[in-house]
Amino acid sequence: MANEVLPAILTATELEVSYNQQVVLKGASLTICARDRIGMVGRNGSGKSTFLRILAGQQHADGGTVTSKRDLMVGYLSQDFTLDETRTVYENIREGARYVLDLIHEFESLPVESKRHADLEERIVALDGWELEHRIKSAMAHLNTPAGDRAVSALSGGEKRRVAMCRAIISRPELLILDEPTNHLDPESIEWVAEFLCGYPGAFLVVTHDRHFLDQVTSSIVELSNGIFYRYEGDYTDYLVSKAERQATEETVEHKRQMFLRRELEWVRRGVQARRTKSKSRLENYEIIASQAPVEIERDVELIIPPPPALGNRVVELTSVGMAIGARQLFNGLDFTFENGMRIGIAGRNGVGKTTLIKIIIGDLAPTSGTVKTGPLTKFNYVDQSRLRLREDRTVMEEVSSGTEFVIFGEGRISLRAYLRRFLFTDDRINTQVKYLSGGERSRLLLARILKDGGNFLVLDEPTNDLDLPTLRILEEALVAFTGCVVVVSHDRYFLNRVCTGILAFEDDGRISYSVGNYDYYLEKRRRQSEAAAPAPASSGNNNAPRPKTATTPPPAKARKLNFKETRELEGMEAKILAVEEEISRVEALFTQPNFHQEYGRQTEDLLAQVATAKTNLAGLYARWEELELINRGGAA
């Protein structure tokens, strides 16, 4: 029921946490109810992971309280998870259901007639404990974990994270806490996790930078900003609109406060003697309002990519390129020509060869077949997904400086400190060693160091990992504005949709297909191709039996073909669809801009209406496209 009031299972009240001089939580309060689907967002370093550790009982707050229902079962996947290196994959995953396993062990050790035996059975059934082994196998298959008998000590970081993810969800706790669950998962695994959470019987709280994932699974968004929580009902898209409205209201209130203070200050400066009661009261009111803290404005990364040098007529040409590792053929027969202005996304499951393809493109790896020709003016700039390029003992300044105090920017230059401030590094953090940086700060530092080197062909391998949402939006805008060539490997569907003009997708049998448009458009085309290739359902009865002919049976109608006008319409249909999708993306992107409430606050309703109308038009275009395709294939009379 829509109006059903669900019981609270956990309440955090007035939490206070500080690290030296940095206040992370200041009076933060949040209530989680049964079956809540909460997405938590906020800048890196704002305290999200700290709050999750407090809820999971792994850290104590400096002040405030956390209360929960009796015997609340909590599952927690942290960013810095640990696995038992001495055990196998299966043993580590099964250990995630230790609570359920202990209940089953106790149940089996008690006599059937005991009351405790009956209570345990009821609890095990409620936790679906008898299906535990089936759930483990299903989760391992869908999350593409390594084989159950493999030693954890031999796994890569991404493989270990998938094992930890599997371990966190198989016990089905009443409250599931997930910190960046989609990192290192391929699109198919992310979709399975989304389906799993949509059908999850308990409550969950998830921190993720994957905005498409948030739109799929959440019913409310909690933002941690300046140490306190703001809760918004709806998914991520709803949150963007509501946040813009909240910020507009806060700025209006602050503007009125400043206007009041200016008026009252003039009154105070005129030397009005506060003898009368009215004057004293007015002066006290002024002092109260003047002492109030102003609204804190969040700063965004001012991401700058140096203007690229001009590209030549030839950028990069791949001809019949293939790659094999030992007896395994990753891909074969790839023909593709990169052109200036292209922003290509590379998508596919983990392990299919996406990073290998990137290294072939930039010349770090030779293909086993085919040729790669690079233009004489092409200058690559490669942003590696690995963080190993950062040296732990160096400061932020030393990692970026490379012996110079300036960054060349087009025809001019800016100081390194000014450059790093654009990536939200304050003066004290600029002199901090890399080993003390958060994951998000490391990502920003890596981007700052590599992007300052310029280049006209940017190659980014999983750039969205560990970046917070505001930084992601700025990165997207910078890449869209970049006038060179861009190649991006990412599992972030929202990111691919906003940035890419084409998709190179790894498909079955080592094929790499190219699709013009964003990732959603590629998926839609793939779905339609699958439907068209699917065999028609078999009719009941004996298909080989001769059909009786009667005088009333009309002759089969001749399948009609597209006329000239319809043929031209079909040829232009993809361009129309892309234009409408780009318009939807353009308008929706306005809601993510930091100055939305200043520039477009009064147009919010009109913009929402534009998006709704465009989506209706898009549905009509897809329907018409399907109709024309059906006729073109001879499926309509």
Short mmCIF file of all heavy atoms in Angstrom, two decimals, residues 31 51 88-89 122 142 174 263 301 306 322 368 377 422 427 465 511 560 574 592 615 631:
data_model
loop_
_atom_site.label_atom_id
_atom_site.label_comp_id
_atom_site.label_asym_id
_atom_site.label_seq_id
_atom_site.Cartn_x
_atom_site.Cartn_y
_atom_site.Cartn_z
N THR A 31 16.90 8.00 9.67
CA THR A 31 16.10 6.83 10.07
C THR A 31 15.91 5.92 8.87
O THR A 31 15.55 6.38 7.78
CB THR A 31 14.73 7.27 10.61
OG1 THR A 31 14.91 8.04 11.80
CG2 THR A 31 13.86 6.06 10.94
N PHE A 51 30.08 7.02 7.82
CA PHE A 51 28.73 6.77 8.32
C PHE A 51 28.33 5.31 8.15
O PHE A 51 27.74 4.71 9.06
CB PHE A 51 27.74 7.67 7.57
CG PHE A 51 26.31 7.47 7.98
CD1 PHE A 51 25.86 7.86 9.23
CD2 PHE A 51 25.40 6.87 7.12
CE1 PHE A 51 24.54 7.68 9.62
CE2 PHE A 51 24.09 6.68 7.49
CZ PHE A 51 23.65 7.08 8.75
N THR A 88 39.27 -20.67 0.19
CA THR A 88 38.89 -20.63 -1.22
C THR A 88 37.80 -19.59 -1.45
O THR A 88 37.25 -19.02 -0.50
CB THR A 88 38.37 -22.00 -1.69
OG1 THR A 88 37.15 -22.30 -0.98
CG2 THR A 88 39.38 -23.10 -1.45
N VAL A 89 37.48 -19.39 -2.73
CA VAL A 89 36.41 -18.46 -3.10
C VAL A 89 35.09 -18.88 -2.46
O VAL A 89 34.39 -18.08 -1.83
CB VAL A 89 36.28 -18.39 -4.64
CG1 VAL A 89 34.98 -17.68 -5.04
CG2 VAL A 89 37.48 -17.71 -5.25
N GLU A 122 11.49 -21.45 12.42
CA GLU A 122 10.76 -20.29 11.92
C GLU A 122 11.73 -19.19 11.46
O GLU A 122 11.52 -18.55 10.42
CB GLU A 122 9.86 -19.75 13.03
CG GLU A 122 9.00 -18.57 12.60
CD GLU A 122 8.09 -18.09 13.73
OE1 GLU A 122 7.96 -18.81 14.75
OE2 GLU A 122 7.53 -16.99 13.59
N HIS A 142 26.01 -15.23 -11.64
CA HIS A 142 25.61 -13.93 -12.18
C HIS A 142 26.65 -12.84 -11.95
O HIS A 142 26.74 -11.89 -12.74
CB HIS A 142 24.27 -13.51 -11.57
CG HIS A 142 23.11 -14.26 -12.14
ND1 HIS A 142 22.55 -15.35 -11.50
CD2 HIS A 142 22.41 -14.10 -13.30
CE1 HIS A 142 21.55 -15.82 -12.23
NE2 HIS A 142 21.44 -15.09 -13.31
N GLU A 174 18.45 -8.22 7.06
CA GLU A 174 17.33 -7.27 7.10
C GLU A 174 17.75 -5.89 6.65
O GLU A 174 16.94 -5.11 6.14
CB GLU A 174 16.78 -7.21 8.53
CG GLU A 174 16.17 -8.52 9.00
CD GLU A 174 16.02 -8.55 10.50
OE1 GLU A 174 17.00 -8.87 11.19
OE2 GLU A 174 14.91 -8.25 10.99
N ARG A 263 20.62 46.68 5.54
CA ARG A 263 19.74 47.74 6.02
C ARG A 263 19.99 48.04 7.49
O ARG A 263 20.10 49.20 7.91
CB ARG A 263 18.27 47.33 5.83
CG ARG A 263 17.79 47.34 4.39
CD ARG A 263 16.26 47.33 4.34
NE ARG A 263 15.68 46.27 5.16
CZ ARG A 263 15.40 45.06 4.70
NH1 ARG A 263 15.67 44.76 3.44
NH2 ARG A 263 14.87 44.15 5.50
N VAL A 301 34.65 20.78 -9.12
CA VAL A 301 35.92 20.69 -9.81
C VAL A 301 35.84 21.54 -11.08
O VAL A 301 34.90 21.42 -11.86
CB VAL A 301 36.24 19.23 -10.19
CG1 VAL A 301 37.50 19.16 -11.03
CG2 VAL A 301 36.39 18.39 -8.94
N PRO A 306 43.69 20.89 -21.52
CA PRO A 306 44.36 21.81 -22.43
C PRO A 306 43.87 21.64 -23.87
O PRO A 306 43.63 20.51 -24.31
CB PRO A 306 45.84 21.42 -22.29
CG PRO A 306 45.94 20.82 -20.93
CD PRO A 306 44.64 20.12 -20.71
N GLY A 322 43.29 -8.36 -34.97
CA GLY A 322 42.90 -9.44 -34.08
C GLY A 322 43.93 -9.62 -32.99
O GLY A 322 45.08 -9.18 -33.13
N THR A 368 48.08 -9.60 -32.92
CA THR A 368 48.58 -10.85 -33.51
C THR A 368 48.20 -10.97 -34.98
O THR A 368 48.76 -11.79 -35.69
CB THR A 368 48.03 -12.05 -32.74
OG1 THR A 368 46.60 -11.94 -32.64
CG2 THR A 368 48.62 -12.10 -31.34
N LEU A 377 50.37 13.32 -36.73
CA LEU A 377 50.05 14.39 -35.80
C LEU A 377 49.28 13.88 -34.57
O LEU A 377 48.94 14.67 -33.69
CB LEU A 377 49.23 15.48 -36.49
CG LEU A 377 49.90 16.17 -37.67
CD1 LEU A 377 48.98 17.23 -38.26
CD2 LEU A 377 51.23 16.81 -37.24
N ARG A 422 41.76 23.84 -9.07
CA ARG A 422 40.64 23.54 -9.96
C ARG A 422 40.18 22.10 -9.80
O ARG A 422 39.07 21.76 -10.19
CB ARG A 422 41.01 23.82 -11.43
CG ARG A 422 41.26 25.30 -11.72
CD ARG A 422 41.86 25.49 -13.10
NE ARG A 422 42.15 26.90 -13.34
CZ ARG A 422 41.46 27.68 -14.17
NH1 ARG A 422 40.43 27.18 -14.82
NH2 ARG A 422 41.79 28.93 -14.34
N ASP A 427 45.24 24.28 -0.28
CA ASP A 427 46.68 24.46 -0.09
C ASP A 427 47.27 23.41 0.84
O ASP A 427 48.38 22.92 0.63
CB ASP A 427 46.96 25.86 0.45
CG ASP A 427 46.76 26.93 -0.62
OD1 ASP A 427 46.79 26.58 -1.81
OD2 ASP A 427 46.56 28.10 -0.26
N ASN A 465 35.59 5.20 -11.85
CA ASN A 465 35.80 4.53 -10.56
C ASN A 465 36.31 5.51 -9.52
O ASN A 465 37.30 6.21 -9.76
CB ASN A 465 36.80 3.37 -10.70
CG ASN A 465 36.17 2.14 -11.34
OD1 ASN A 465 34.96 2.10 -11.56
ND2 ASN A 465 36.98 1.15 -11.65
N ARG A 511 33.55 -11.08 -31.69
CA ARG A 511 33.19 -9.98 -32.60
C ARG A 511 33.15 -8.66 -31.84
O ARG A 511 32.76 -8.61 -30.68
CB ARG A 511 31.84 -10.23 -33.26
CG ARG A 511 31.81 -11.40 -34.23
CD ARG A 511 30.45 -11.56 -34.88
NE ARG A 511 29.41 -11.86 -33.88
CZ ARG A 511 28.47 -11.00 -33.51
NH1 ARG A 511 28.44 -9.77 -34.01
NH2 ARG A 511 27.55 -11.34 -32.61
N ARG A 560 3.91 -6.64 -49.20
CA ARG A 560 4.20 -5.40 -49.89
C ARG A 560 5.59 -4.90 -49.52
O ARG A 560 6.15 -5.27 -48.49
CB ARG A 560 3.16 -4.34 -49.59
CG ARG A 560 3.30 -3.59 -48.25
CD ARG A 560 2.28 -2.47 -48.21
NE ARG A 560 2.36 -1.67 -47.00
CZ ARG A 560 3.15 -0.61 -46.88
NH1 ARG A 560 3.96 -0.28 -47.87
NH2 ARG A 560 3.15 0.11 -45.75
N GLU A 574 17.04 6.68 -37.96
CA GLU A 574 18.05 6.65 -36.91
C GLU A 574 18.51 8.05 -36.55
O GLU A 574 18.73 8.37 -35.38
CB GLU A 574 19.23 5.78 -37.35
CG GLU A 574 18.92 4.29 -37.39
CD GLU A 574 20.18 3.44 -37.46
OE1 GLU A 574 21.18 3.82 -36.82
OE2 GLU A 574 20.17 2.41 -38.14
N THR A 592 21.73 19.07 -13.89
CA THR A 592 22.94 18.70 -13.16
C THR A 592 23.92 19.85 -13.04
O THR A 592 24.93 19.72 -12.35
CB THR A 592 23.65 17.52 -13.87
OG1 THR A 592 24.23 17.99 -15.11
CG2 THR A 592 22.69 16.40 -14.15
N LYS A 615 10.16 12.49 -24.79
CA LYS A 615 10.14 11.04 -24.57
C LYS A 615 8.92 10.40 -25.24
O LYS A 615 9.00 9.27 -25.74
CB LYS A 615 10.16 10.74 -23.07
CG LYS A 615 11.51 11.02 -22.42
CD LYS A 615 11.53 10.63 -20.95
CE LYS A 615 12.94 10.84 -20.36
NZ LYS A 615 13.00 10.49 -18.93
N ILE A 631 7.93 -4.12 -42.40
CA ILE A 631 7.56 -4.12 -43.82
C ILE A 631 8.78 -4.41 -44.69
O ILE A 631 8.72 -5.19 -45.65
CB ILE A 631 6.93 -2.77 -44.21
CG1 ILE A 631 5.64 -2.54 -43.44
CG2 ILE A 631 6.66 -2.72 -45.71
CD1 ILE A 631 5.05 -1.16 -43.64
#
